Amino acid sequence: MTQKMNTEARREQIAGAALKLLAERGSEGFNIADLAQSVGLVPSAIYRHFEGREDVLDAALSVFRDKVYGLVEAARREAGNPLIALELLLTRHARLIESGGAVPHIMASMSAPEGHAARRAKTERIFRGYVARVEALVREGQERGQIRSDIDPTAAALLFAGMIQPAALLRHAEGERFDITAHAAQVWDLFRRAVARD
Amino acid sequence: MTQKMNTEARREQIAGAALKLLAERGSEGFNIADLAQSVGLVPSAIYRHFEGREDVLDAALSVFRDKVYGLVEAARREAGNPLIALELLLTRHARLIESGGAVPHIMASMSAPEGHAARRAKTERIFRGYVARVEALVREGQERGQIRSDIDPTAAALLFAGMIQPAALLRHAEGERFDITAHAAQVWDLFRRAVARD
DNA sequence: TTATGATGTGAATATGGATTCACATGGAGG
DNA sequence: CCTCCATGTGAATCCATATTCACATCATAA
């Protein structure tokens, strides 16, 4: 029998594994059997730790949220100023996608109008939170005079949020041939030119 | 009994209805029963015109492709120059989203790594085709001197493609409160500043 | 007008996946 | 060292959908 673990540790392990599967296959392709297998359990065992499928997805979303918000905060902390923070953030998103983290896929897949209303609502909340954080960076950039002040921070934040999304799609389609990191650098130039003061 | 139709007309009708459902609910929520109902048929009747679910989705994708490509071509045709064409295209995307056309959702939902490989491949092909068309507009803009020539057309096209996507998400989350058209105008300003020659 | 094949129907059937349940077992506290 | 409960297991069961099938009916063309 698989080693027993206390439920808290198991929950985390399972939620993490679920997020990984979600990134690989989207919510449609996500199923309990594969999830169980990926943590070395039998399907029914999942129900010792979660109410059901939706509960698992909810937990995975929480992990996702912490990861993404953490990315923003780390970028802000490590960069000397908001503009650099944004650039750093973009780079890291790119790297994440490259390594299979598939952030955009998760957002898209989970927020699609299909699933449980609660799940969708949570995804949207997460997205709004993300945008709000980027927006805060933009505002700070404006206060410091790095970013033009006639720009609507929300618009800029949404533009930023959209920068890697299509690239992730292409990356998926073209595989290794498409260099996301290089692409990120190029769109960053564009973004910078759009928002930077002079 | 529901009025009989020859299969070609029925196929088109069904494919169109399928696309609409897809836009509303994503591929996960899409099912034959609802599709049949939406065209006033009984589920089994669908199989008179399609091999099965995947075949329906494939047909819906074709409709989608024609619609989207048509949008690009119409914009190019109606606008005097490539830059205006891009602006027009953006505006129309916004309007489409506003009226429930949910382009980004369809792309995301259909291309998610979940489904049938063939379906995914087709979605990606469609996306690449779209990007290629936008890219062509960018190149033309460069030739005419409207767009800076040191810009990578692919990067610009992908940036463009990503401009409305996040907005669609927000729109979904915040409902009517979020004005996509206004947002489109603002990101357009940003995009223009990023790519336009001086 | 009628015969015929294409379309539509409702009732099975098939299938995949989630969920439940009775039972097994290991590990932490006594 | 024992006990007992949380955790793990495998075999049902349930359920939602896709799909099939035998039968009904309409459209049309000779």
Side-chain angles (χ1 to χ4, degrees):
Chain A
M1 186 189 299
T2 301
Q3 174 100 33
K4 288 185 180 178
M5 288 175 76
N6 70 68
T7 203
E8 190 170 347
R10 243 334 168 211
R11 266 189 76 96
E12 285 176 22
Q13 182 198 21
I14 293 172
L19 181 60
K20 193 171 166 208
L21 284 183
L22 233 32
E24 286 167 9
R25 316 188 188 171
S27 68
E28 185 177 352
F30 174 85
N31 68 327
I32 301 292
D34 289 351
L35 172 63
Q37 177 148 59
S38 81
V39 292
L41 285 178
V42 104
S44 57
I46 301 294
Y47 293 85
R48 289 276 170 233
H49 311 286
F50 293 91
E51 305 265 335
R53 187 185 137 105
E54 279 305 322
D55 191 25
V56 175
L57 290 178
D58 186 83
L61 267 183
S62 294
V63 173
F64 175 70
R65 179 198 54 211
D66 296 346
K67 197 167 172 177
V68 172
Y69 289 4
L71 227 50
V72 184
E73 272 140 34
R76 179 64 194 96
R77 203 172 333 106
E78 294 171 31
N81 67 62
L83 208 52
I84 304 260
L86 285 172
E87 184 176 7
L88 193 55
L89 182 55
L90 186 64
T91 308
R92 291 195 178 162
H93 275 312
R95 233 196 310 270
L96 194 57
I97 288 168
E98 225 156 29
S99 66
V103 179
H105 263 320
I106 292 173
M107 286 307 300
S109 160
M110 298 293 275
S111 71
E114 53 219 33
H116 223 259
R119 194 208 319 170
R120 194 172 66 239
K122 180 163 183 168
T123 311
E124 290 166 350
R125 218 159 38 242
I126 293 174
F127 181 65
R128 281 213 300 273
Y130 175 78
V131 171
R133 281 165 172 75
V134 172
E135 224 177 290
L137 284 178
V138 172
R139 276 187 224 285
E140 201 192 334
Q142 289 177 319
E143 283 160 16
R144 295 197 180 200
Q146 291 189 296
I147 293 178
R148 295 184 18 254
S149 54
D150 62 324
I151 284 177
D152 174 36
T154 304
L158 286 177
L159 180 61
F160 182 87
M163 279 201 288
I164 2 150
Q165 172 100 352
L169 242 177
L170 256 202
R171 151 89 181 176
H172 205 273
E174 314 211 333
E176 310 299 328
R177 268 176 301 154
F178 185 73
D179 182 348
I180 284 209
T181 305
H183 169 75
Q186 284 180 317
V187 286
W188 172 254
D189 274 350
L190 292 175
F191 182 78
R192 185 194 185 88
R193 175 139 30 215
V195 305
R197 195 159 175 189
D198 289 29
Chain B
M1 187 190 296
T2 301
Q3 175 96 32
K4 286 186 180 178
M5 290 174 75
N6 69 67
T7 203
E8 191 171 347
R10 239 342 165 207
R11 266 189 75 96
E12 285 175 22
Q13 182 198 22
I14 293 172
L19 181 60
K20 195 172 164 207
L21 283 182
L22 234 32
E24 286 167 8
R25 315 187 191 171
S27 68
E28 186 177 351
F30 174 85
N31 68 323
I32 302 291
D34 289 351
L35 171 63
Q37 176 147 59
S38 80
V39 291
L41 285 178
V42 100
S44 57
I46 300 294
Y47 294 85
R48 288 274 170 237
H49 311 285
F50 293 90
E51 306 263 339
R53 186 187 138 104
E54 279 306 322
D55 191 24
V56 175
L57 290 178
D58 185 83
L61 267 184
S62 294
V63 174
F64 175 69
R65 179 198 53 211
D66 295 346
K67 196 167 173 178
V68 172
Y69 288 4
L71 226 50
V72 183
E73 272 141 34
R76 179 63 194 96
R77 203 174 332 105
E78 295 171 31
N81 68 62
L83 208 51
I84 304 258
L86 286 171
E87 184 175 7
L88 194 54
L89 182 55
L90 186 63
T91 308
R92 291 193 177 162
H93 275 312
R95 235 197 308 271
L96 194 57
I97 288 170
E98 224 156 28
S99 66
V103 179
H105 263 319
I106 293 172
M107 286 307 301
S109 160
M110 297 293 275
S111 71
E114 54 220 34
H116 224 259
R119 195 208 319 170
R120 193 172 68 238
K122 180 163 183 169
T123 311
E124 290 167 351
R125 217 160 37 241
I126 293 175
F127 181 64
R128 281 213 299 272
Y130 175 79
V131 171
R133 282 164 172 76
V134 172
E135 223 177 289
L137 284 178
V138 172
R139 274 185 225 285
E140 201 192 331
Q142 288 177 320
E143 283 160 16
R144 296 197 178 201
Q146 290 188 297
I147 292 178
R148 297 185 15 255
S149 54
D150 62 324
I151 284 178
D152 174 36
T154 304
L158 287 176
L159 180 61
F160 182 86
M163 278 200 288
I164 5 154
Q165 171 101 351
L169 242 177
L170 256 201
R171 152 90 180 176
H172 205 272
E174 313 211 333
E176 310 301 327
R177 268 176 301 155
F178 185 73
D179 182 348
I180 285 208
T181 305
H183 169 75
Q186 283 181 319
V187 287
W188 172 254
D189 274 351
L190 292 175
F191 182 77
R192 186 192 184 88
R193 175 141 27 217
V195 306
R197 193 159 174 189
D198 289 31

